[in-house]
Amino acid sequence: VVAPSWPIEWLQSVFGPRLRIAALLPTAWGLANDTLGSPAWGAVLVIALVLVLAMLLHGVAVDRVALLALGVSVSLFASPHVWSYDHLLLVLPWAATLAIGASAGLRGHWPLIIGVVLVASLVPWVAWAVALARLSETHAAVVPALSALLLAFALRVRGSPGSTT
């Protein structure tokens, strides 16, 4: 009642100055800006990640812990205002993937364990080296995306109770 134009002003702020800031951060929005020329492509990257995850997990029952771990990974990729230190939260999907990889009797557990080591250590260091060379940390956005994909792959390999795979 006091300011009936607030929704329009809020949207202008979100898609104006805030989107320009998001274009500099290690998220889908920053990665899209850096590689595709516009932060608006970030929405396409987020949708693509969600679709790939849905395809990988089709017919696989996902427990609450795995769902939370996937949510952390996707939200770090999709949130417009995240910095690389927020990637510490990825310990949850990494731990979930390691737990699946270490589970007794799982075929192919070594690729999962090696995958976590690469995604949790080598990829962030490579992204940091790229950031130092380019003065842009946007490529670190691949870390949460790869973490989500690795966990989804682990869930797919393991199957779960009620799995149709």
Side-chain angles (χ1 to χ4, degrees), residues 1-15:
V1 174
V2 175
S5 63
W6 76 264
I8 293 169
E9 291 173 11
W10 180 79
L11 286 171
Q12 288 172 339
S13 175
V14 167
F15 291 105

Side-chain angles (χ1 to χ4, degrees), residues 81-144:
H81 297 283
V82 170
W83 207 263
S84 58
Y85 55 76
D86 294 312
H87 292 177
L88 289 172
L89 296 172
L90 293 172
V91 72
L92 182 58
W94 297 336
T97 304
L98 285 173
I100 292 168
S103 63
L106 178 65
R107 290 181 314 145
H109 65 280
W110 282 109
L112 294 176
I113 293 168
I114 292 168
V116 169
V117 170
L118 292 174
V119 170
S121 61
L122 182 63
V123 173
W125 281 108
V126 169
W128 180 250
V130 170
L132 290 176
R134 299 184 72 235
L135 300 176
S136 171
E137 200 173 0
T138 59
H139 286 84
V142 300
V143 176

Side-chain angles (χ1 to χ4, degrees), residues 19 22-25 27-34 38-46 77-81:
L19 194 55
L24 305 173
L25 301 176
T27 65
W29 313 97
L31 184 63
N33 186 61
D34 207 11
S38 171
W41 285 102
V44 175
L45 294 179
V46 171
F77 184 67
S79 296
H81 297 283

